[in-house]
Structures are given as C-alpha cells and as structure tokens.
Amino acid sequence: EVQLVESGGGLVQPGGSLRLSCVASGFTFSSYWMSWVRQAPGKGLEWVANIKQDGSEKHYVDSVKGRFTISRDNAKNSLFLQINSLRVEDTAVYYCARDEMWLIHGGQGTLVTVSS
Amino acid sequence: DIVMTQSPDSLAVSLGERATINCKTSQSILYSSNNKNYLAWYQQKPGQPPKLLIHWASTRESGVPDRFSGSGSGTDFALTISSVQAEDVAVYYCQEYYSTPLYTFGQGTKLEIK
C-alpha cells in the first residue's frame, strides 16, 4: 500500500518561504516519478511539479516556475518542495503523489497558508 | 495547453440511480501510436486525498467497485456510476496526462444524494 506522509506546511507571510517534505513507504520510491499536487481551500486540484526517478528531470506548472523547486532523496525515500516568494494564491493543501502519469495519493497533505 | 471541462458542476442523484459525469478536452488525448486515451478519473471525499478510480479512460483500479466505469475517446469522456450508493458522495475529477510530464485536471463535479 502506498503511504505518503507530507509535512512542513504552516502560516507564512507573503514573500516568505517554506520547505515541504514527503516521506514515502510501501513501494520502491526510487523507481517512480513523483509529483506535488495542491488544492486551494474549497477549490479543485492543481498539479504543481514532478521529478524523474533520478532527479534529472523536473517540470513545473507555469504559475510556480522560478519560485518552487522540487527535489528528492532516494536514500531517505523523501520528496521535497522548496517554495519561495510565496503569494496569497499559493494557500493550499499540498499533496505528494506517486506519478505514473496517473497520480497515486497516499497522505493527508500539508496545509500552507500565506497571509499577512 | 489542454483545457479540461467537466459537466455538470454538480448533480444530485437518488440512491440506486445512475450518475454520469462528463469530461471534455480541448484537443484529442488519444495517442495514435498506442490507441490509448490519456485520461484518469479520481474521487475525493471531504477531508481526504484524491483516490484514483480509472486510468487509460476505462481501466478500473484494483478494488474499485464495478459500478464505476469510464468511457469515451478523443475529446469526450464520461464516468458512470451505475447504481449510486451513499458512500459515493464526493467530488470527481478527470485528469489528462497526454501532455506528460505536465498534467491538467478538470474543475471537478460534486455528486450528492437527492
């Protein structure tokens, strides 16, 4: 069973930064692309970023390019999202997901709130 | 960019009745080399992460009840629940992965019991 535990969210002021983490278990982490997906309060799902198995390819939705950085540590079964220059519109629950083109979610997400 | 449009935005169905949720894409997501439609469906219940129901437009995930089915090709797709149960109350999303490794979701359809 895919288990993903996200952490690192919190309340931050506009312009601030956070580093989100996701620890994976129940599958061979290093064999899969991984993605981050977010959901603003009361809104729909938005794919944010993904990363190839060895970290050699990374892709982002246009709205976060230059501000968000995805990375991974296969030795620690961990996925990260460094989010800088935060905007009010980045307020959302952030989920990590195993990326097989379709997305396998396994955690409750971590809430990022951007507010002054 | 591919635009995903779901309809309706919400629907209310009586227990045991059929529910159909539509998803239209702005361009074909049928890949000619493998004849596969690059579309997935998810169910999201309140306070929970999304759950994958169907990929390749019609391939049901293991453990998903067979009352859920996916159909369609090219630009027009549907998720059908043949006999709605109380536990099916949720928001349903379609997602294209034709643009892989970039992805787009539909805006969601809320299913309620009448």
Side-chain angles (χ1 to χ4, degrees):
Chain A
E1 181 189 358
V2 174
Q3 293 193 335
L4 301 164
V5 179
E6 302 94 341
S7 63
L11 175 62
V12 62
Q13 292 187 337
S17 299
L18 281 174
R19 189 188 195 215
L20 308 184
S21 300
C22 168
V23 178
S25 60
F27 64 100
T28 304
F29 180 76
S30 59
S31 295
Y32 291 89
W33 282 72
M34 294 294 294
S35 271
W36 287 97
V37 174
R38 68 182 179 183
Q39 186 169 36
K43 302 298 184 182
L45 302 171
E46 180 182 37
W47 172 81
V48 173
N50 60 9
I51 184 169
K52 195 176 179 179
Q53 290 93 330
D54 61 359
S56 62
E57 263 191 67
K58 304 175 184 181
H59 301 274
Y60 302 90
V61 68
D62 284 348
S63 59
V64 309
K65 282 181 182 176
R67 300 189 299 122
F68 289 18
T69 303
I70 190 171
S71 61
R72 65 192 295 162
D73 183 341
N74 288 341
K76 295 183 178 179
N77 289 345
S78 295
L79 178 72
F80 306 101
L81 188 68
Q82 178 68 41
I83 47 179
N84 298 330
S85 303
L86 276 160
R87 305 169 180 168
V88 171
E89 55 265 33
D90 295 320
T91 294
V93 174
Y94 286 73
Y95 298 100
C96 64
R98 190 174 83 185
D99 185 341
E100 302 180 41
M101 296 190 293
W102 50 89
L103 301 169
I104 310 294
H105 298 78
Q108 295 300 309
T110 188
L111 175 63
V112 173
T113 304
V114 185
S115 175
S116 54
Chain B
D1 293 4
I2 296 176
V3 178
M4 312 286 289
T5 305
Q6 291 184 227
S7 62
D9 288 332
S10 65
L11 76 162
V13 177
S14 300
L15 289 172
E17 294 298 304
R18 175 185 298 261
T20 300
I21 297 167
N22 300 296
C23 178
K24 188 173 183 65
T25 60
S26 60
Q27 66 183 73
S28 176
I29 56 173
L30 173 63
Y31 197 43
S32 56
S33 66
N34 58 10
N35 201 36
K36 288 183 178 291
N37 288 283
Y38 281 50
L39 188 99
W41 287 99
Y42 301 83
Q43 174 193 65
Q44 188 179 32
K45 297 181 180 180
Q48 295 187 19
K51 175 187 175 183
L52 177 68
L53 298 176
I54 287 169
H55 65 276
W56 296 132
S58 60
T59 300
R60 198 167 42 243
E61 291 300 297
S62 175
V64 173
D66 60 7
R67 64 180 180 272
F68 291 90
S69 63
S71 62
S73 185
T75 61
D76 292 280
F77 300 89
L79 174 70
T80 300
I81 309 172
S82 60
S83 176
V84 170
Q85 305 300 304
E87 61 265 32
D88 300 334
V89 168
V91 180
Y92 292 85
Y93 297 91
C94 57
Q95 175 230 331
E96 65 83 18
Y97 45 93
Y98 185 87
S99 308
T100 188
L102 308 181
Y103 311 128
T104 306
F105 287 93
Q107 82 275 17
T109 295
K110 185 175 185 179
L111 175 65
E112 299 174 311
I113 302 298
K114 192 184 297 182

